[in-house]
Amino acid sequence: MRQYSPDLTPPWKKPKPVPEVPAEPGLVVEEPGTGFCGAVIRCEAGTVTLEDRFGKHRVFPLEPRGFLLEGRVVTLTRPALSANATPLRPTRTASGSVAVPGARARVARAGRIYVEGRHDAELVERVWGDDLRIEGVVVEYLEGIDDLPAIVTEFSPGPDARLGVLVDHLVPGSKESRIAASVTSDHALVLGHPYIDIWEAVKPSSVGIPAWPRVPHGQDWKTGVCRALGWPENTGAAWQHILSRVHSYKDLQPELLGRVEELIDFVTAPH
């Protein structure tokens, strides 16, 4: 005989039921984890796409109790299709944004996003390239940030030419954090991820390894990674292998995703 275990959770500890609301186009909701607020423009099995007042799109999973509607927690559900309706099948960019078929690249803005090296630039291009072209944002690499304050001064950022900078290994007490703190322009934003190198921002599972190896202090990190993993000590070839395993934002760590999205928002925001 099949046995059932009773639910011993006290009633006051059980989550209260929340309303289920169909994610109809035009419904304005907020995703509390990110604070992103926008109108529903598309809903598919498992995801909903919101558009904020600046025209920025974000895709979120349809999770229970996952949104706020007029300040109240709700569960969004996929709207029922009418008998004659044809399901929409949009394509998405690698960053998760809804693709715009036939969209032309915008004329480049005066603002820029600077990253530390070529590998950083190639990874950003691979995942956010379509979005950047539509927004008219150019990404350039610096080959290090030791001279960042002087570079920012030379760029002379302003309200119509904002500058975003993505820094590797931006953790408290690091050399990078001290350099970043020296940039004080209101029209420049320096953000970073905690990884020693942009390689680490790729999920190990996407590369097919259990974890990124620890490299002893004083060794070249990329060469040390190749040695530990038994790869040929050709860092250029190793990077091409890593990059080939990146197909979308799902292959990247969230610490990088959030920072790049924030920099794009910063340089494209209205004056």
Side-chain angles (χ1 to χ4, degrees):
M1 176 181 293
R2 185 178 181 184
Q3 297 182 348
Y4 294 88
S5 300
D7 185 357
L8 302 179
T9 305
W12 60 86
K13 288 189 176 181
K14 293 182 179 179
K16 295 181 180 180
V18 300
E20 292 189 352
V21 180
E24 300 285 355
L27 180 73
V28 177
V29 295
E30 178 183 346
E31 199 285 316
T34 61
F36 189 87
C37 183
V40 174
I41 62 170
R42 196 177 305 278
C43 184
E44 296 185 291
T47 64
V48 62
T49 302
L50 305 181
E51 181 181 55
D52 71 4
R53 60 195 180 95
F54 300 120
K56 181 71 176 180
H57 293 177
R58 292 281 178 87
V59 181
F60 297 101
L62 282 177
E63 296 180 343
R65 309 170 65 90
F67 296 87
L68 298 178
L69 176 61
E70 297 181 350
R72 297 180 57 197
V73 178
V74 298
T75 296
L76 291 187
T77 61
R78 191 180 184 189
L81 291 174
S82 65
N84 297 325
T86 302
L88 297 176
R89 298 179 180 177
T91 58
R92 291 200 173 90
T93 66
S95 71
S97 300
V98 175
V100 183
R104 294 183 178 180
R106 178 174 176 167
V107 175
R109 297 173 182 265
R112 293 287 187 273
I113 292 178
Y114 286 168
V115 297
E116 283 204 48
R118 182 169 58 85
H119 293 179
D120 305 64
E122 289 176 346
L123 186 62
V124 170
E125 164 61 27
R126 190 171 190 88
V127 176
W128 288 273
D130 291 338
D131 300 350
L132 293 168
R133 279 182 282 278
I134 289 176
E135 295 288 353
V137 177
V138 175
V139 174
E140 300 178 3
Y141 65 91
L142 302 173
E143 293 294 354
I145 64 162
D146 289 348
D147 298 323
L148 184 61
I151 291 171
V152 173
T153 299
E154 182 179 358
F155 182 86
S156 188
D160 57 349
R162 297 183 181 184
L163 178 63
V165 183
L166 180 68
V167 177
D168 296 342
H169 198 227
L170 191 60
V171 296
S174 67
K175 176 192 75 172
E176 291 81 1
S177 67
R178 292 191 293 272
I179 293 174
S182 66
V183 176
T184 58
S185 171
D186 292 337
H187 306 294
L189 178 63
V190 182
L191 298 176
H193 55 77
Y195 305 110
I196 294 174
D197 189 271
I198 197 69
W199 289 19
E200 274 193 300
V202 180
K203 291 180 178 179
S205 58
S206 297
V207 185
I209 58 177
W212 288 105
R214 293 183 177 273
V215 177
H217 184 70
Q219 289 189 20
D220 177 73
W221 189 85
K222 292 176 181 175
T223 303
V225 166
C226 292
R227 289 173 183 166
L229 294 176
W231 295 352
E233 294 183 18
N234 181 333
T235 58
W239 169 243
Q240 291 306 314
H241 168 70
I242 296 166
L243 188 62
S244 71
R245 306 300 293 270
V246 176
H247 304 291
S248 75
Y249 70 97
K250 297 179 181 179
D251 296 306
L252 303 181
Q253 300 285 9
E255 291 85 352
L256 175 66
L257 294 173
R259 301 296 78 76
V260 175
E261 293 281 357
E262 192 172 346
L263 289 173
I264 294 174
D265 288 347
F266 177 76
V267 300
T268 59
H271 296 171

